[in-house]
Amino acid sequence: MAVAALVSGGLALTSIGTSAADDGELLRESQSEECANADAIAGAGDNFEENCLTESEVAEIEESVGAASILPAGETAGTSNLSLVSNLPKTGPFATTSALNSDLAFQGKYAFAGNYNGFTVYDIRNPRSPQAVTQVLCPGSQNDITVYGDLLFLSTDSPRTDNSCQSSGGSVANPAHWEGMKIFDISDVRNPRYISAVRTDCGSHTHTLVPGEDSVYIYVSSYGPNAAAAYCKPPHDKISIIDVPLDAPEDAAIVATPVLFPDAGNQGGNTAGCHDITAYPHLGLAAGACMGDGVVIDISDPVDPVVLDQVRDPNFAFWHSATFNNDGTSIIFTDELGGGSGPTCNPTVGPVRGANAIYTWDGDSLEFASYYKIPREQANTENCVAHNGSLIPVPGKDIFVQAWYQGGISVFDFTDPYNPTEFAWFDRGTFDATGTIAGAWSTYYYNGYIYSNEIQRGFDVFNLRDPRVAPAKGVRYDELNTQTQPEF
């Protein structure tokens, strides 16, 4: 296994200030009480720290969830049509609990898996026996990952002393600090070469590729403005757009910073950016999960996106991500209530918070259709909430596979957006008794199999055998970045 870069210092992560709608009943910033799982989530990152649970809140959840309904540690459960066919544990500098596995991208016979310490390339030619071929050590929290031709893009969302893979943790108040987008050459996939970097305000939490004629544009989503920060001062109601010339990626630069919320969105006069944007180039549209708002955006001119409609949901605390159905008439928005650290899959939180909200889109406006949340109760040591997923390419059907952190993975049909129905799932028992952040971060369908990046347990491959998805087995992509949604 090749290691492309080494660092002497450990991974240093900083808290990201939340700007999500306040959810004072259950998940809120610790005020008068100590965070019950502070040690387990310290420095953990996708907005984990700022919405931890207090001791009294954990006790309330524990009282409401019967032990008999909880899957014990070390055990697995699921439907017979969904089977785990392979697992590759984390290795080397990625094996620690602080090195969280994150997002996934695909190209040809390779899967590219982000980790807070860098990324791993897997050969998935035989999905039942994947092989790790390259591990690149390049710390900088999140490491949201995409690929495009010979290029790989990596988001850094924590202040670093510089833009190298040998950097250490920095301070947002220091004008010399760096965070943003890193670009690698993967023409030799076994030996990725770091070629350039672009600083972006508030770093890069996630990013989205929008193909152009001679360039690929990167929509950088970032948030968490801080008056003391050198490059992330409020108001922060914009995205950064990077132009990467395909024949000279080393010249990548920011070409626009459009303000999506001139009226300050849903933040009481101080927006904080977007968490995630999914582009659907076939329709010239994008859907954004922008803190307190869900939006549909016209991206027919990639450097001049225009918000077409904007919705708010009283049950949503933290708009996290969005996915169109194939014909662009429905959109799944996810609510990452608690930032991914909380045990929100229980009767106390209920079925409509920390869930998906499905909206219909008629070309002019968004209309609420329904909520979907996994029905299985999880232990109070299991962080569980709606997270990253993708369509399964079944023509004429809308079927979604999704990660739910320690809630496992779920497959549901939302062809009728008013009546989403689950028909496959897989779950593991709690990772440990201390509330360590774990579970499926990203779970995507690619060329016949489901791939999942499990935060602590490693790289999972699942086989879904069900007549409802049989047509998807014949759909093949040369490349897949789920936030650049393909038509099938």
Side-chain angles (χ1 to χ4, degrees):
M1 181 179 296
V3 176
L6 297 175
V7 295
S8 58
L11 179 62
L13 304 177
T14 59
S15 177
I16 303 168
T18 183
S19 61
D22 181 34
D23 191 344
E25 289 186 89
L26 180 70
L27 295 165
R28 63 184 183 272
E29 294 187 9
S30 183
Q31 297 175 356
S32 61
E33 295 183 79
E34 188 73 18
C35 176
N37 56 344
D39 292 338
I41 67 173
D46 192 24
N47 197 36
F48 290 140
E49 289 184 78
E50 54 281 18
N51 286 302
C52 66
L53 298 183
T54 65
E55 295 286 355
S56 62
E57 290 165 335
V58 168
E60 179 185 0
I61 291 171
E62 191 170 38
E63 182 178 353
S64 72
V65 180
S69 66
I70 304 301
L71 188 64
E75 293 192 12
T76 63
T79 51
S80 60
N81 57 353
L82 182 62
S83 57
L84 177 65
V85 297
S86 181
N87 169 262
L88 288 180
K90 298 192 298 184
T91 61
F94 295 5
T96 66
T97 55
S98 64
L100 282 60
N101 276 343
S102 57
D103 213 357
L104 293 168
F106 304 89
Q107 186 181 84
K109 64 183 182 182
Y110 296 104
F112 301 81
N115 178 282
Y116 275 43
N117 272 355
F119 65 92
T120 302
V121 182
Y122 295 99
D123 185 332
I124 55 172
R125 186 170 4 191
N126 179 358
R128 293 177 177 272
S129 183
Q131 304 294 321
V133 297
T134 306
Q135 186 177 85
V136 175
L137 187 58
C138 197
S141 71
Q142 195 73 11
N143 278 337
D144 190 53
I145 191 168
T146 58
V147 292
Y148 190 83
D150 288 339
L151 301 175
L152 180 148
F153 305 100
L154 205 64
S155 286
T156 299
D157 192 33
S158 59
R160 310 296 297 178
T161 51
D162 56 57
N163 64 10
S164 74
C165 287
Q166 292 77 36
S167 68
S168 55
S171 166
V172 294
N174 184 349
H177 92 275
W178 182 91
E179 55 183 328
M181 183 62 54
K182 293 171 181 170
I183 304 174
F184 292 77
D185 183 324
I186 54 169
S187 53
D188 179 358
V189 73
R190 294 178 177 271
N191 294 285
R193 182 173 59 89
Y194 182 21
I195 55 176
S196 65
V198 179
R199 184 204 303 271
T200 55
D201 288 349
C202 300
S204 175
H205 193 74
T206 66
H207 68 270
T208 305
L209 303 185
V210 180
E213 290 186 10
D214 301 311
S215 299
V216 61
Y217 297 99
I218 305 175
Y219 287 10
V220 174
S221 295
S222 57
Y223 59 92
N226 184 333
Y231 304 105
C232 186
K233 294 183 181 297
H236 182 75
D237 47 15
K238 66 183 181 181
I239 61 173
S240 297
I241 301 178
I242 300 172
D243 181 354
V244 184
L246 297 179
D247 59 354
E250 65 276 6
D251 295 333
I254 294 174
V255 293
T257 54
V259 174
L260 298 183
F261 303 103
D263 297 325
N266 191 24
Q267 304 305 322
N270 181 19
T271 49
C274 296
H275 181 280
D276 210 333
I277 293 172
T278 292
Y280 198 179
H282 169 68
L283 295 180
L285 295 175
C290 298
M291 314 314 289
D293 299 87
V295 298
V296 175
I297 308 168
D298 182 338
I299 59 168
S300 53
D301 180 350
V303 298
D304 186 22
V306 177
V307 173
L308 300 177
D309 197 23
Q310 178 177 349
V311 292
R312 300 168 185 173
D313 191 312
N315 288 310
F316 264 42
F318 189 84
W319 293 72
H320 180 274
S321 54
T323 304
F324 291 91
N325 68 343
N326 193 52
D327 62 9
T329 57
S330 297
I331 301 173
I332 295 175
F333 290 101
T334 67
D335 173 23
E336 195 186 35
L337 173 68
S341 70
T344 75
C345 297
N346 54 64
T348 301
V349 177
V352 301
R353 298 160 68 209
N356 298 324
I358 302 171
Y359 282 75
T360 60
W361 169 251
D362 63 5
D364 294 310
S365 61
L366 290 163
E367 296 292 338
F368 173 78
S370 64
Y371 293 110
Y372 171 79
K373 187 174 183 180
I374 59 171
R376 287 165 296 286
E377 299 174 6
Q378 304 294 313
N380 71 322
T381 53
E382 292 184 283
N383 55 301
C384 175
V385 75
H387 213 232
N388 292 351
S390 76
L391 291 183
I392 297 179
V394 179
K397 296 287 186 180
D398 300 331
I399 297 177
F400 198 64
V401 58
Q402 185 174 14
W404 288 81
Y405 288 118
Q406 289 202 70
I409 72 174
S410 173
V411 183
F412 64 94
D413 187 327
F414 68 107
T415 307
D416 175 358
Y418 300 92
N419 186 34
T421 304
E422 181 181 68
F423 63 90
W425 60 272
F426 174 88
D427 189 18
R428 292 178 168 101
T430 185
F431 180 74
D432 64 23
T434 66
T436 298
I437 299 299
W441 177 295
S442 296
T443 302
Y444 304 139
Y445 186 95
Y446 177 71
N447 292 355
Y449 285 81
I450 292 169
Y451 298 87
S452 185
N453 217 15
E454 217 281 359
I455 293 172
Q456 302 296 351
R457 297 175 176 97
F459 183 66
D460 288 333
V461 185
F462 294 87
N463 188 25
L464 176 60
R465 301 184 63 190
D466 189 285
R468 283 163 284 202
V469 300
K473 297 287 187 178
V475 178
R476 288 291 181 269
Y477 296 119
D478 296 326
E479 191 171 86
L480 180 64
N481 302 292
T482 58
Q483 285 74 37
T484 305
Q485 194 169 319
E487 183 198 24
F488 57 84

